[in-house]
């Protein structure tokens, strides 16, 4: 690993505890906004599509957002490293708020898709900067992990509250009202960030000229394969396998072009040194498995509860609450245990094993299963994710040079998104080829296998060796 450039005085020593607390409150508020932005309209979309007479375009409201987010995370992660994260966080909050207002005023389904895609770009900017921001404030990973538990807990709780808020606003005031919740949350985040988050000098010694060619290729490399999955395996008449194949080929071609270009330019948009080591490669593979398991559980467990077990939508929502709420529990426990670990990757090994056990518990759910068992199964999965999600980001930050913290954090978020897209598409195919029960159960068997694979990959990550190297250096 090359020697990182000299760093400025650590913010954790030059700011008071209150200032750091308020700065992290701003980061947490930004993460809450990101969660609201991605989840608050999920319960609203059926009524929106009906009101705008756009049921045929229903799926693209969510797909446009997710594609824009996934394709932009890495770029904004790198720009945050180059130019500082505070300006990008402020811009992202404004983009999301304005995009949400535009969605609330949309007069047609194509307009709504366009505005949601714009929000997706803001969401990608927000995720790329907010999850990397704790590294600016707390260079010491042992201190940082406790604060990252706060960020993970805020994101998890907001993800669970978002659909409820959206549904309540829609029922009380109409579907347009749901889009005006995010701007209200944005006002608080904007104030806290502008007032309390410090303007920290970027950790960069290269030319800050933006690699636009690499940026375009990176968008194609990430976005086209994800779009290909959506188009090739969409249900019924919405499937376009040939177009999906063409997009997949375009994505592979972009990757083939991107690698030599990034090796030549002075300041690459995606520095390959971030993934040259064995540990970063293992962590990103683990992130793909975690993303797949997490989203299979989130997307298809409601289907299992409602269509197979006969629960109402509201009952299913209550039973699924521990899956999201317990992420904060696991994150807090992980934050307490991390400073005491000589080999912190063991926490991820434990999380992977716990996720496999939780997936197995969900697999054993059948008609007549006690509600307490269902609640316990989702609680176990939520706790497991609390041991995995913060550590994936933290370990990538620890493995990277200080100047690459943003793009390293963004990379693990991107690979997790890719895993989630592949996992949900695969289970969707299984359901379409059989039935809901068999398809979801096969998907849950896949979850068990992927969770075990995550534990094996985490076991092979040697964080202790990294600490030894840095101490020796």
């Amino acid at each position: 690993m090359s020697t990182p450039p000299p760093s400025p005085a650590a913010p954790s020593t030059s700011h008071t505890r209150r200032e750091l607390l308020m700065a992290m409150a701003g980061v947490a508020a930004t993460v809450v906004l990101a969660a609201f932005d991605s989840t608050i309209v999920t319960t609203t979309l059926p009524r929106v599509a009906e009101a705008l007479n756009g049921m045929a375009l229903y799926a693209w409201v969510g797909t446009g957002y997710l594609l824009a987010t996934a394709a932009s995370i890495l770029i904004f992660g790198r720009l945050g490293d180059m130019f500082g994260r505070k300006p990008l966080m402020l811009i992202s909050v404004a983009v999301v708020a304005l995009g949400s207002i535009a969605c609330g005023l949309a007069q047609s389904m194509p307009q709504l898709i366009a505005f949601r895609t714009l929000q997706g770009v803001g969401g990608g900017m927000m995720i790329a900067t907010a999850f990397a921001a704790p590294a600016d404030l707390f260079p010491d990973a042992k201190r940082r992990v406790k604060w990252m538990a706060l960020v993970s807990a805020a994101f998890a709780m907001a993800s669970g509250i978002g659909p409820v808020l959206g549904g309540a606003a829609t029922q009380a005031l109409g579907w347009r009202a749901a889009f005006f919740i995010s701007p209200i949350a944005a006002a608080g985040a904007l104030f806290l960030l502008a007032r309390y988050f410090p303007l920290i000098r970027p950790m960069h010694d290269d030319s800050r000229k933006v690699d636009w060619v690499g940026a375009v290729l990176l968008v194609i490399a990430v976005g086209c394969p994800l779009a290909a999955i959506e188009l090739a395996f969409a249900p019924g008449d919405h499937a376009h396998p040939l177009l999906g194949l063409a997009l997949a080929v375009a994505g592979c071609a972009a990757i083939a072009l991107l690698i030599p270009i990034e090796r030549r330019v002075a300041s690459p948009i995606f520095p390959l040194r971030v993934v040259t080591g064995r540990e970063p490669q293992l962590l990103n593979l683990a992130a793909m498995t975690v993303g797949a398991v997490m989203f299979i559980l989130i997307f298809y467990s409601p289907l299992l509860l409602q269509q197979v077990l006969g629960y109402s939508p509201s009952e299913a929502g209550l039973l699924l609450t521990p899956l999201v709420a317990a992420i904060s529990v696991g994150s807090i426990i992980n934050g307490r245990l991390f400073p005491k670990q000589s080999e912190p990757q063991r926490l991820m090994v434990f999380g992977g094993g716990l996720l496999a056990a939780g997936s197995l518990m969900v697999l054993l759910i059948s008609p007549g299963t006690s509600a307490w068992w269902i609640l316990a199964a989702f609680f176990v999965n939520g706790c497991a994710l609390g041991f995995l999600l913060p550590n994936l980001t933290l370990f990538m930050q620890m493995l990277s040079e200080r100047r690459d913290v943003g793009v390293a954090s963004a990379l693990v978020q991107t690979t997790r998104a890719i895993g989630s897209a592949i996992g949900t598409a695969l289970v969707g195919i299984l359901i379409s080829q059989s039935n809901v029960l068999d398809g979801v159960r096969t998907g849950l068997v896949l979850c068990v296998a992927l969770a075990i694979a995550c534990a094996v990959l985490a076991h092979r990550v040697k964080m202790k060796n990294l600490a030894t190297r840095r101490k020796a250096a």
Side-chain angles (χ1 to χ4, degrees):
M1 182 181 292
S2 60
T3 303
S7 63
S12 56
T13 60
S14 58
H15 290 78
T16 66
R17 181 175 178 81
R18 180 182 180 277
E19 288 172 334
L20 290 171
L21 176 62
M22 296 304 293
M24 281 303 299
V27 174
T30 306
V31 168
V32 166
L33 177 60
F36 278 175
D37 190 43
S38 59
T39 64
I40 208 163
V41 300
T42 54
T43 51
T44 308
L45 280 181
R47 190 171 295 186
V48 175
E50 183 181 350
L52 296 179
N53 194 26
M55 219 46 202
L57 298 173
Y58 176 90
W60 281 101
V61 177
T63 300
Y65 181 92
L66 292 173
L67 286 177
T69 299
S72 61
I73 288 175
L74 272 171
I75 292 173
F76 290 120
R78 182 58 169 170
L79 293 178
D81 288 332
M82 294 172 68
F83 299 102
R85 271 171 269 281
K86 181 174 181 175
L88 289 179
M89 280 196 288
L90 292 171
I91 293 170
S92 70
V93 172
V95 169
V96 166
L98 293 174
S100 193
I101 292 170
C103 287
L105 300 175
Q107 300 300 310
S108 68
M109 206 64 170
Q111 283 184 14
L112 181 64
I113 293 169
F115 294 143
R116 279 295 283 171
T117 303
L118 173 64
Q119 278 190 286
V121 174
M125 191 188 307
M126 194 176 289
I127 290 170
T129 51
F131 281 94
D136 291 340
L137 298 173
F138 304 97
D140 180 7
K142 290 184 178 181
R143 289 191 64 195
R144 192 190 319 157
V145 68
K146 296 179 180 180
W147 292 95
M148 289 187 71
L150 168 67
V151 174
S152 297
F155 187 82
M157 294 303 292
S159 297
I161 294 170
V164 178
L165 276 178
T170 300
Q171 187 170 345
L173 301 171
W175 66 266
R176 294 185 186 275
F179 288 103
F180 290 91
I181 296 175
S182 288
I184 296 171
L190 204 60
F191 170 77
L192 288 170
L193 288 175
R195 175 68 178 84
Y196 294 106
F197 196 88
L199 189 62
I200 298 171
R201 179 168 64 85
M203 297 291 299
H204 230 265
D205 59 350
D206 296 328
S207 166
R208 293 200 288 181
K209 182 179 178 181
V210 178
D211 172 22
W212 292 111
V213 174
V216 171
L217 289 173
L218 191 58
V219 168
I220 296 171
V222 175
C224 282
L226 292 177
I229 292 171
E230 293 288 339
L231 288 168
F233 303 116
D237 297 335
H238 298 292
H240 300 283
L242 291 179
L243 180 56
L245 178 61
L247 287 171
V249 171
C252 293
I255 294 171
L257 291 170
L258 180 67
I259 293 173
I261 288 174
E262 298 303 270
R263 283 176 176 160
R264 290 199 306 266
V265 298
S267 184
I269 197 74
F270 180 57
L272 298 178
R273 60 180 174 264
V274 174
V275 288
T276 51
R278 179 172 174 267
E279 275 76 17
Q281 293 169 4
L282 293 172
L283 278 174
N284 280 282
L285 286 174
M288 290 184 70
T289 64
V290 172
V293 175
M294 179 178 176
F295 276 81
I296 288 172
L297 290 172
I298 289 173
F299 273 82
Y300 294 108
S301 294
L303 204 59
L304 177 68
L305 294 176
Q306 293 179 53
Q307 295 198 13
V308 178
L309 274 64
Y311 286 102
S312 68
S314 59
E315 290 171 337
L318 287 173
L319 289 171
L320 281 168
T321 300
L323 177 60
V324 176
I327 294 176
S328 58
V329 176
S331 297
I332 291 169
I333 297 172
N334 175 77
R336 293 280 187 179
L337 295 177
F338 184 92
K340 304 174 184 177
Q341 302 298 312
S342 59
E343 298 184 14
Q345 73 273 12
R346 292 175 178 175
L347 294 172
M348 277 193 63
V349 175
F350 173 75
L354 194 62
L355 189 62
S359 299
L360 183 60
M361 291 176 71
V362 178
L363 178 62
L364 295 176
I365 293 173
S366 61
T369 299
S370 166
W372 289 108
W373 176 273
I374 298 172
L375 290 168
F378 289 125
F379 182 85
V380 169
N381 281 298
C383 282
L385 291 170
F387 279 89
L388 294 168
L389 298 178
N391 285 336
L392 285 168
T393 303
L394 180 63
F395 288 2
M396 276 299 293
Q397 291 174 353
M398 292 170 64
L399 289 163
S400 68
E401 299 178 21
R402 283 289 305 278
R403 58 178 172 165
D404 295 329
V405 162
V407 74
S409 304
L411 177 62
V412 81
Q413 305 295 335
T414 302
T415 51
R416 200 177 77 190
I418 292 170
S420 68
I422 294 172
T424 51
L426 185 58
V427 176
I429 295 169
L430 292 171
I431 291 173
S432 66
Q433 297 298 318
S434 56
N435 56 64
V436 172
L437 180 59
D438 291 341
V440 173
R441 282 188 169 169
T442 305
L444 289 168
V445 172
L446 177 64
C447 286
V448 175
L450 288 173
I452 293 172
C454 174
V456 172
L457 290 167
H459 177 70
R460 296 176 64 188
V461 175
K462 303 302 180 185
M463 299 300 294
K464 181 179 179 180
N465 292 343
L466 175 74
T468 303
R469 288 198 303 271
R470 285 189 170 174
K471 187 174 181 180

